[in-house]
Amino acid sequence: MVLPALAQDSQKLAPTFALKAARLLDGKSDTVVPNAVILVTGDKISAVGSGLPIAKGVQVIDLGDATLLPGLIDSHTHLLSEMDGTNLTLQDVEMLRIVATQSTAHRALLAAKLGRETLQSGITTVRDVGNSGVSGDVALRDAIENGWIPGPRIIPSTRALAPQGGQFGRLIPEAQSIIEQEYVTIRGPESARQAVRQALYDGAGCIKVIVNGTPADVTPDEMKAIVDEAHTAGVKVAAHAIGNAATRTAAQAGVDSIEHAYVVPDDVLKLMAEKGIFLVPTDGTLKTFVDMSFGTRVPSDEERKQSEKNFARFVKMEQERLERAIKFGVRIAAGSDMYLTMPHLNRGAASLLVYEAYAESGMTPLQIVRAATSNAAELLGMKDRIGTLESGKLADIIAIPGDASKDAKALEHALFVMKSGEIVKAPK
Ligand SMILES: [Zn+2]
């Protein structure tokens, strides 16, 4: 029961803040709103518009020649993992090192640092898709929600569901128990259903499936069982899938997003567009790949050239498939998949580099903003709460210097960050 008098009073609450800037992008329309004002009341946006009147006594934050935007959303993070990129060709060995030597507690504390850096960069919500030990991502979400540590809002997925072996390559029989520290092995459709129920029980807000396996992928029947079980519970499914067979298995089963899909045929892209399945292109520029492959070591010119040659084909391939996906009308949600140590960049700054890759593939700044705000909010099942600057939404708001509709690179330099009406970062 709501007391009418009380309801009326709460509507009359005075705004906590008035944010002003030269312009705003609301995250869904192409219109740049000049002379922008956002009123924040408590943890929510109470009004958005051009030149709105500001009542006396409201704290005004004037951000000057900046663009106000919804807080950025990263649909593909691994906050509990930091790998050494110089081992890029030996990723399964590097993962084995992490899982066999770092407890989930150790990784959750690392994630407290990486989460703080992520939030500071302007990313106010993430979907964390596995490689987080046994429910370390749930512990991190809870710690942030309880206000123990600063960090983004988190949709955790707990351990990813995977075919035999997870992503470790071949381990000896005596080492098999290590796999279950990081993945839940699927052994048929009923086992797949059970794995979804276990993930939900463990606290998952989304289900992550590794479709690709060696030697065998998750089967179409297993995939359908996973999607059915997850959707029955109202939870979305993110599928790691690369190549003709795996992307088709995921799309036909009706997952909510396909992650990576560096190799994907036209007919699967068309099916994704038809079914409204998002592509989360976890792409990098040539520079990003080369940088991460040397870690903190400064390579010789010759080494750098060789590395560029090695990555050039891959970068061309991902660009070409993103262009095709957009041409076929596949919706794009931004996701960094950043899990490596990047030289001279913290996790937040490194995660934003993915926008440069999108720009190089021909996405406009406005398309990139949508991919990182309203589209991602829809993919996360949170479009009623986040992803746009609208009255009634949570006050997740960032300010970017200059005009973000003209230059996506500006998204890397948030000068103001607010999450749920609380100021995280402000200009000095
Ligand atoms: Zn990933």
Side-chain angles (χ1 to χ4, degrees):
M1 196 175 103
V2 178
L3 295 173
L6 214 65
Q8 230 171 33
D9 275 357
S10 71
Q11 277 167 13
K12 280 191 201 150
L13 277 180
T16 330
F17 295 108
L19 307 182
K20 289 177 68 176
R23 60 194 82 74
L24 75 75
L25 290 171
D26 69 3
K28 55 174 189 178
S29 87
D30 281 353
T31 313
V32 180
V33 178
N35 195 14
V37 176
I38 302 177
L39 301 180
V40 174
T41 305
D43 63 352
K44 297 217 172 63
I45 295 170
S46 46
V48 181
S50 182
L52 295 182
I54 300 168
K56 251 194 187 154
V58 176
Q59 189 182 338
V60 177
I61 300 174
D62 191 342
L63 295 152
D65 182 24
T67 309
L68 294 170
L69 292 166
L72 301 170
I73 301 168
D74 190 339
S75 306
H76 191 123
T77 64
H78 298 287
L79 290 177
L80 282 87
S81 280
E82 187 162 63
M83 289 194 187
D84 179 352
T86 58
N87 263 346
L88 209 58
T89 51
L90 291 170
Q91 273 196 49
D92 47 354
V93 177
E94 174 64 357
M95 190 190 295
L96 187 61
R97 178 187 72 80
I98 288 176
V99 177
T101 64
Q102 298 178 359
S103 66
T104 300
H106 174 105
R107 295 170 70 178
L109 290 167
L110 167 68
K113 169 186 176 283
L114 302 179
R116 185 183 67 231
E117 293 168 354
T118 298
L119 179 61
Q120 285 278 331
S121 76
I123 297 168
T124 48
T125 302
V126 307
R127 186 177 66 164
D128 202 72
V129 284
N131 297 111
S132 49
V134 179
S135 307
D137 50 354
V138 175
L140 179 70
R141 174 197 65 188
D142 292 347
I144 291 168
E145 273 184 14
N146 290 338
W148 301 341
I149 51 170
R153 194 173 292 104
I154 294 179
I155 308 292
S157 57
T158 70
R159 286 175 296 171
L161 282 49
Q164 200 75 40
Q167 294 181 295
F168 283 106
R170 185 178 295 144
L171 300 186
I172 59 170
E174 294 85 341
Q176 294 296 304
S177 63
I178 286 177
I179 295 165
E180 300 295 319
Q181 292 299 305
E182 200 77 349
Y183 300 95
V184 176
T185 307
I186 301 304
R187 298 179 171 87
E190 192 45 46
S191 147
R193 285 187 187 278
Q194 181 53 37
V196 173
R197 290 182 209 126
Q198 182 70 47
L200 297 172
Y201 173 77
D202 290 341
C206 117
I207 300 298
K208 169 79 179 295
V209 189
I210 311 293
V211 185
N212 296 83
T214 311
D217 290 350
V218 168
T219 67
D221 281 349
E222 290 167 339
M223 202 65 226
K224 281 185 197 120
I226 291 166
V227 172
D228 180 54
E229 197 70 31
H231 285 178
T232 299
V235 169
K236 309 253 185 185
V237 178
H240 163 119
I242 298 159
N244 293 2
T247 57
R248 183 168 289 111
T249 297
Q252 285 180 343
V255 300
D256 298 281
S257 63
I258 297 186
E259 319 291 300
H260 320 302
Y262 300 121
V263 178
V264 56
D266 285 354
D267 66 297
V268 171
L269 287 173
K270 285 176 186 161
L271 187 60
M272 289 172 70
E274 221 173 274
K275 291 190 169 195
I277 298 170
F278 282 94
L279 171 66
V280 179
T282 54
D283 295 359
T285 62
L286 189 58
K287 182 176 185 306
T288 303
F289 285 122
V290 171
D291 281 351
M292 68 174 61
S293 72
F294 290 108
T296 50
R297 189 169 72 81
V298 179
S300 69
D301 287 354
E302 196 49 44
E303 280 177 307
R304 205 174 165 92
K305 261 197 205 123
Q306 185 55 46
S307 177
E308 279 173 2
K309 232 168 119 185
N310 295 345
F311 283 113
R313 224 188 100 231
F314 181 76
V315 170
K316 210 172 154 221
M317 190 172 68
E318 61 172 22
Q319 289 181 346
E320 178 271 333
R321 78 90 170 71
L322 184 50
E323 285 167 23
R324 269 189 303 138
I326 291 171
K327 190 179 87 191
F328 290 134
V330 178
R331 289 189 296 172
I332 308 296
S336 69
D337 195 23
M338 185 48 67
Y339 56 81
L340 294 157
T341 311
M342 284 294 286
H344 320 301
L345 291 179
N346 71 28
R347 177 59 65 89
S351 299
L352 298 176
L353 292 176
V354 73
Y355 305 147
E356 292 186 21
Y358 296 163
E360 284 191 2
S361 295
M363 284 176 74
T364 65
L366 282 165
Q367 283 177 322
I368 294 170
V369 166
R370 270 198 296 275
T373 56
S374 55
N375 280 11
E378 188 176 343
L379 170 58
L380 270 54
M382 299 184 76
K383 68 173 181 176
D384 56 333
R385 279 168 288 167
I386 59 170
T388 58
L389 296 177
E390 285 176 287
S391 174
K393 293 270 173 90
L394 286 170
D396 288 2
I397 303 163
I398 63 171
I400 297 298
D403 188 347
S405 72
K406 297 214 164 80
D407 178 17
K409 204 162 162 45
L411 295 170
E412 292 170 31
H413 306 286
L415 49 90
F416 174 86
V417 180
M418 171 178 273
K419 179 188 157 206
S420 292
E422 283 184 25
I423 296 170
V424 173
K425 180 181 185 177
K428 300 216 165 69

